[in-house]
Amino acid sequence: MDAPVIELQRAGKVFVSSDGAKTTALDGIDLAIGRHEFVALIGPSGCGKSTLLRLVAGLLPVTSGQVSIYRQPVTEPRDEIGIVFQRPTLLPWLSVLDNVAFPVKLKTGRVDAGTRERARELVRMVGLAEFEDRLPEELSGGMQQRVGIARSLLHDPDILLMDEPFSALDALTRDEMSLELLRILRDSPKTVVFVTHSIPEALLLADKIVVMQSRPGRVREVIAVPFPRPRSLDTLMDPRFNRMANDIRAQVFTRRTGT
């Protein structure tokens, strides 16, 4: 078996408030994620899903244990990681194309012809070629999130971390964006860690689902998703899909309430 791309070994995170009070957000997380594997994190609010993502991203240090990427401890943000947040945080005065190219301008102070062409290719990939000169306010929420995804892919990262990227969208747009993400990853495979509160979304997208418990956040179960790829709207109509979603929902609810 190949070595995991991402590995958490007894990883924990404790936050200390200004008055010295301690809150254990994560405790004893063991998790291994393989190359080009899509892993969804689900669980109740406050279970540490987003904190876990930030540990992997190098945006937060671990308090205990270790987080590794390619067997190297994570101590700071790394170039092989792209991040997509809940909201795309686009710069309102820049065009779609310039927003996608912005990370390079921020890092180097300039955007060369090669970077601009790469940004243009990504805008085409996410289906926004005719909107590359538009400002963010001229786009729908789903279109803005596509721009955010394109921007995260600018430096062709090996790993994509996504923190509830579709949560602000309506149900139909959310399904559309999930299918769009599957298409993008088919054309440009990545190792993905995806935080969501939506069990159907996790089942549609992921190879495995990590179910977490709260107070403190721990991994309770890792569930392999049995549906073959490529997936489509037909996957959502599979009777097994709804049964599995209901089973996972019951498990999460039972663990949350302690019944």
Side-chain angles (χ1 to χ4, degrees), residues 30-241:
D30 288 316
L31 184 64
I33 300 172
R35 179 170 170 78
H36 294 168
E37 192 170 34
F38 194 123
V39 173
L41 306 178
I42 67 170
S45 295
C47 71
K49 301 184 296 295
S50 294
T51 299
L52 191 157
L53 210 69
R54 283 159 173 73
L55 294 182
V56 174
L59 299 176
L60 288 174
V62 292
T63 307
S64 58
Q66 182 171 279
V67 179
S68 302
I69 292 177
Y70 297 116
R71 295 195 166 178
Q72 297 297 314
V74 175
T75 58
E76 60 184 355
R78 298 169 60 127
D79 287 341
E80 64 262 72
I81 293 177
I83 305 176
V84 182
F85 295 105
Q86 271 188 344
R87 298 185 182 277
T89 59
L90 305 179
L91 298 177
W93 58 88
L94 293 182
S95 69
V96 165
L97 189 64
D98 289 339
N99 263 291
V100 173
F102 183 73
V104 168
K105 185 173 183 179
L106 181 65
K107 187 173 183 178
T108 67
R110 60 188 295 270
V111 176
D112 59 24
T115 298
R116 197 163 183 82
E117 182 54 34
R118 169 66 177 162
R120 185 168 281 115
E121 290 173 1
L122 290 168
V123 170
R124 287 197 295 265
M125 178 187 289
V126 299
L128 295 177
E130 61 190 287
F131 298 94
E132 67 175 38
D133 295 324
R134 300 286 184 89
L135 296 175
E137 66 179 14
E138 301 176 89
L139 307 178
S140 68
M143 294 165 75
Q144 290 182 26
Q145 198 59 281
R146 290 182 190 220
V147 179
I149 292 172
R151 183 178 56 192
S152 73
L153 298 174
L154 182 67
H155 61 289
D156 195 23
D158 296 333
I159 298 165
L160 194 58
L161 306 179
M162 309 186 77
D163 191 1
E164 296 191 71
F166 309 145
S167 63
L169 306 178
D170 63 81
L172 290 177
T173 305
R174 192 165 182 156
D175 286 346
E176 178 187 347
M177 287 301 301
S178 292
L179 295 172
E180 180 70 12
L181 178 59
L182 289 174
R183 183 190 65 77
I184 291 169
L185 294 176
R186 183 189 64 216
D187 295 340
S188 181
K190 308 289 178 191
T191 303
V192 182
V193 185
F194 187 98
V195 170
T196 181
H197 279 98
S198 169
I199 293 169
E201 187 173 71
L203 280 173
L204 178 63
L205 293 171
D207 298 306
K208 67 185 182 187
I209 297 173
V210 176
V211 181
M212 297 183 64
Q213 72 164 37
S214 59
R215 295 182 301 274
R218 294 188 176 102
V219 173
R220 292 302 301 263
E221 187 173 2
V222 178
I223 301 170
V225 178
F227 306 110
R229 297 187 185 275
R231 296 176 190 160
S232 66
L233 286 176
D234 290 339
T235 307
L236 297 173
M237 305 304 293
D238 188 324
R240 296 176 302 161
F241 187 95

Side-chain angles (χ1 to χ4, degrees), residues 246-259:
N246 288 333
D247 288 344
I248 296 172
R249 189 174 294 110
Q251 293 171 29
V252 172
F253 180 77
T254 298
R255 285 165 180 161
R256 184 176 183 178
T257 60
T259 59

